[in-house]
Amino acid sequence: MHRINLGDFELTVVSDGTYPLDGGGFFGVVPKTLWERKVKADDQNLVRAGLNSVIGRTEKHTVLIETGIGNKLSEKMVKIFGQPARLLQELSAAGVAPEQVDIVINSHLHFDHCGWNTVHREGKLLPTFPNATYYAQEGEWRHAHEGQRDSFSYLAENYDPLVESGQMKLLRGGREIVPGLSVEVFPGHTRDMQAVIIRSGGKTACYISDLIPTTGHLDLNWVMAYDLYPIETIESRKRYYARAIPEKWLTIFTHDPEVPWAYVERDEKGKMVARKHSPQGF
Ligand SMILES: [Zn+2]
C-alpha cells in the first residue's frame, strides 16, 4: 500500500481495481507504434487502466478523493469494463470505515470516478459514506445533464440523489475545502474537471485526475481521445507543470495501474519523466 506523510496529512492510495480501455481512445492521435513502447495492448487493442483513489487523513478529517467505478454498472457496461468493485475492501484494509469519511471529492462525474458515491441497499439507493459531505463542480453536474458526446459516461444515480438531498455541494470554481486541501479547475478532459491539491508542511501533492491520467500521458501532446477539449488539455498541462515541476509536487495519477504517484521532472532533453523517489528538498 502506498502511503506518505505530507505535513498534517497522511495520504494513502487505495484502488477500486483495474479495467480495460481501448488503447486508441486512451492515447488519442498518438501513433500506436509510439504508445505501445509504454503500455502493451491485448489482441483487442485494450490496455489496463487503474482506478486510484486517495485517502487523506488529518487529526480532524478523513477525506476520500474519487470513488472508482462502484458496483452498480448495468450488465452492458460490465461486459465492456468489468466491475472490480474493490474500493471498500481496500478502505477497510487501510483502516477506514465508510462512516468515518467526512469529505468525498469527485474530480468529475464520469462513471469511473464517482461510482462508489452511492450503493443499492435494501431496495434503496443510499450514500456509501453516510456522514460525508460530497463535493463536485456545478458546471460538471450541469454538463452531465446536457446529453453531450460523453453522455454514456454519466450515470445519474451516482450524484443526483446526493444533490437532491443536499449531501453533495456543487462548487463554482476553485476553493479550499478544509485547511490545506483545495480544489482547482483544469479544463480539457471536461470543461469543469477539478484537481485536488494538498498543501501542508511546505509540501504539495496533487490528484490531477484525467488531466494526466497515467505516467504514459506526461507529454503535453499525449492527450486522450476522450477529452472534450484537447487543446485546453494541453494549456492546462502547461499551467500545471509550471508550478508542479519547480515546486516538486507529488502528482497522483488516477488511471495508472502501476505508478499511482510520482514527481514529474524534465530530463536533460526536456522530456517529461516520472520519478518515483522524492527529489531533494521535498
Ligand atoms: Zn473522465
Side-chain angles (χ1 to χ4, degrees), residues 10 37 56 67 93 158 176 192-193 203 249 271:
E10 180 198 68
R37 291 180 200 161
T67 64
N158 288 331
E176 188 168 67
D192 296 278
M193 194 213 82
K203 298 176 184 182
W249 293 11
K271 226 175 87 182

Side-chain angles (χ1 to χ4, degrees), residues 19-35:
Y19 68 127
L21 283 177
D22 178 73
F26 213 24
F27 288 102
V29 299
V30 179
K32 186 175 180 184
T33 47
L34 292 183
W35 65 251

Side-chain angles (χ1 to χ4, degrees), residues 108 110 112-113 189-190 210 224 255:
H108 61 302
H110 284 160
D112 50 336
H113 293 257
H189 180 63
T190 65
D210 280 350
M224 291 194 287
H255 292 311

Side-chain angles (χ1 to χ4, degrees), residues 15 24 42 68 80 97-98 105 112 131 156 166 175 219 231 255 270:
S15 168
D42 71 8
I80 302 170
I105 303 175
D112 50 336
N131 301 317
R175 64 160 259 200
D219 188 291
I231 301 300
H255 292 311

Side-chain angles (χ1 to χ4, degrees), residues 79-100:
K79 269 193 195 141
I80 302 170
F81 298 108
Q83 185 169 240
R86 293 196 48 83
L87 186 65
L88 296 190
Q89 281 155 264
E90 294 225 348
L91 282 174
S92 164
V96 176
E99 296 74 24
Q100 290 174 305

Side-chain angles (χ1 to χ4, degrees), residues 186-187 211 220 230-240:
F186 284 93
L211 181 65
L220 287 176
I231 301 300
E232 289 192 41
T233 296
I234 295 168
E235 290 308 312
S236 287
R237 284 183 182 176
K238 283 182 190 165
R239 177 159 68 88
Y240 178 69

